[in-house]
Amino acid sequence: MTDDAQSPISVFTEIDDRIFIAPVRAFFRAGLHGALWGGGPFLLLSVPIGGGLLLDGEPAGILLLFAPLLIAGCGTLAGMLLIGLPLTVLLKHLQREGAATYQLAGLLGGALLPLAAVALGPTDWGIGLFLALLGMLAGHPAGRIWGEW
């Protein structure tokens, strides 16, 4: 054995993992803000009703407590994966990234994704417009957070 430094076996051991932390953190922050803005208004109804069910001994009340956040979170995640990330790749390639661009994309994508889902199914357009409004409420802040990191 010698005290001389040995050459590394692989270059990959020298990659700093911290470069991946900022985009992952921004992705989860954007999703959380989108879920809170999209589902938050319904918490005003679901928390008292779900809390009352829990106090009455009904375990399904816990699901009702968090249902708006779960539904809005799933919708926000779908929008971020189907629209946000591909748009990020395109904008990065075109060198057109900016917070305002992502805000607009979140606003429009939040409206178009529910409307596209309604167009494919037998659901009423009134529900689609309502979901589009909620999608816009979720998509705008998610796009803002994603565009600012």
Side-chain angles (χ1 to χ4, degrees):
M1 255 334 222
T2 64
D3 291 332
D4 297 334
Q6 296 179 357
S7 63
I9 296 171
S10 171
V11 179
F12 294 112
T13 58
E14 303 300 322
I15 293 177
D16 188 10
D17 291 339
R18 290 178 287 180
I19 63 171
F20 300 111
I21 292 174
V24 170
R25 182 179 293 150
F27 185 84
F28 283 110
R29 275 188 61 225
L32 179 64
H33 280 259
L36 288 173
W37 279 92
F42 294 102
L43 290 175
L44 296 172
L45 293 173
S46 71
V47 168
I49 295 171
L53 288 174
L54 278 175
L55 291 175
D56 288 342
E58 182 66 42
I62 192 84
L63 181 62
L64 188 58
L65 275 171
F66 297 109
L69 293 179
L70 292 173
I71 294 168
C74 289
T76 303
L77 181 63
M80 290 172 67
L81 293 175
L82 295 174
I83 297 172
L85 290 181
L87 182 68
T88 299
V89 172
L90 178 67
L91 290 175
K92 191 172 213 52
H93 177 72
L94 298 174
Q95 297 178 347
R96 299 279 187 195
E97 287 186 295
T101 306
Y102 285 114
Q103 283 179 318
L104 181 62
L107 193 68
L108 294 176
L112 293 177
L113 196 63
L115 290 176
V118 167
L120 295 175
T123 309
D124 183 25
W125 280 100
I127 294 172
L129 292 174
F130 179 69
L131 292 176
L133 175 66
L134 295 177
M136 291 168 67
L137 281 175
H140 184 266
R144 182 184 56 81
I145 299 277
W146 182 248
E148 288 178 351
W149 77 271

